[in-house]
Amino acid sequence: VGGHVARAKLTAGRGRPGTALSPTESGATVTVDVTLGLVTQFAFALAGVLATLPHLGASGDRLRLWGGAGLGALILAGFVLAQRAGMFTAAAQVLQGLVRGRRLAALLGEARAMDAHIRAAYAMKGRLVLAAGLRFLGWLSKSGESWLALHLLGVPVTIWEALALEALSTAAASAAFMVPGGLGVREGSILLLGRMIGITPEVALALALVKRAREILLGAPGLAVWLWIEARGWQCRHGKAQCRAVPDRVVVKEFR
């Protein structure tokens, strides 16, 4: 959750003079991007469900899978419709009704602007389709990662088994979004799904550690840079550094 807030904050102020994203435009962009990520991940999870069906014997298990898929589709559809109907404006109006104040009045204006930017983004259907396609390819590439890692571990699996393993373990980690990094959730789901497709617990745990190592190798440098940007911004705000020395324009704009 915090990562999306950080993305919106870092994106604000980016771009050429006169075309830089405002905070509300940045927030709307991240909101739509998160929605596309959820929709494409849901499609990826459905592909994983289809790949899992040959390994399910009882009809009750299949019924529960399809029931969960139907519930997920309804939740996603409701989320998209709420955005198009002005989700942030409605939330700001509720807050304004509970607590009066000039700051909340300003917040209501920002919420209306954000909803307008979200509707404008959803109107660009061609770009949305392209972005969704790239997102879906990204999800599929993670199945290739699992397939390759298992082969290097000496456990040949089919691409469909790797797809089922990756799609459903990713869905489990996303469902437990309140757990930081999905720690323990992803590993446990990989162990459970691996057993279903005939992978021993030792190999499944090794695969989970390989995937966690990849996340650390890619995420740690980005986290370090983000912390550096925030630290430089704090120095600018408190007059302990020259703002012009900060390479990130968003920090200069925000703390000037």
Side-chain angles (χ1 to χ4, degrees), residues 53-225:
L53 291 180
H55 299 279
L56 296 178
S59 59
D61 293 336
R62 299 189 180 195
L63 184 61
R64 281 192 290 270
L65 275 177
W66 288 118
L71 178 61
L74 289 175
I75 293 174
L76 277 178
F79 184 49
V80 173
L81 290 175
Q83 291 178 44
R84 297 177 68 90
M87 176 178 68
F88 291 101
T89 300
Q93 287 174 338
V94 171
L95 285 175
Q96 190 179 36
L98 295 174
V99 182
R100 299 288 180 178
R102 290 193 304 175
R103 292 187 64 181
L104 286 178
L107 177 65
L108 179 59
E110 293 176 358
R112 286 172 176 162
M114 190 166 173
D115 284 330
H117 291 310
I118 288 175
R119 285 190 288 268
Y122 280 124
M124 295 185 287
K125 293 182 174 56
R127 294 187 179 186
L128 284 178
V129 171
L130 176 60
L134 293 173
R135 274 280 200 166
F136 190 69
L137 288 177
W139 292 119
L140 289 177
S141 70
K142 296 179 70 176
S143 299
E145 175 189 69
S146 297
W147 177 85
L148 178 61
L150 287 171
H151 272 263
L152 294 176
L153 289 168
V155 182
V157 296
T158 67
I159 191 63
W160 294 109
E161 290 172 335
L163 173 63
L165 185 64
E166 180 62 37
L168 297 182
S169 64
T170 301
S174 296
F177 63 92
M178 294 304 294
V179 179
L183 291 175
V185 178
R186 179 183 294 274
E187 289 77 8
S189 60
I190 289 177
L191 285 169
L192 180 62
L193 293 165
R195 180 180 178 183
M196 183 180 66
I197 63 177
I199 298 176
T200 63
E202 295 81 5
V203 173
L205 182 59
L207 174 64
L209 292 176
V210 166
K211 299 181 76 62
R212 187 65 70 181
R214 186 259 302 159
E215 292 178 358
I216 294 173
L217 288 174
L218 294 179
L223 180 62
V225 172

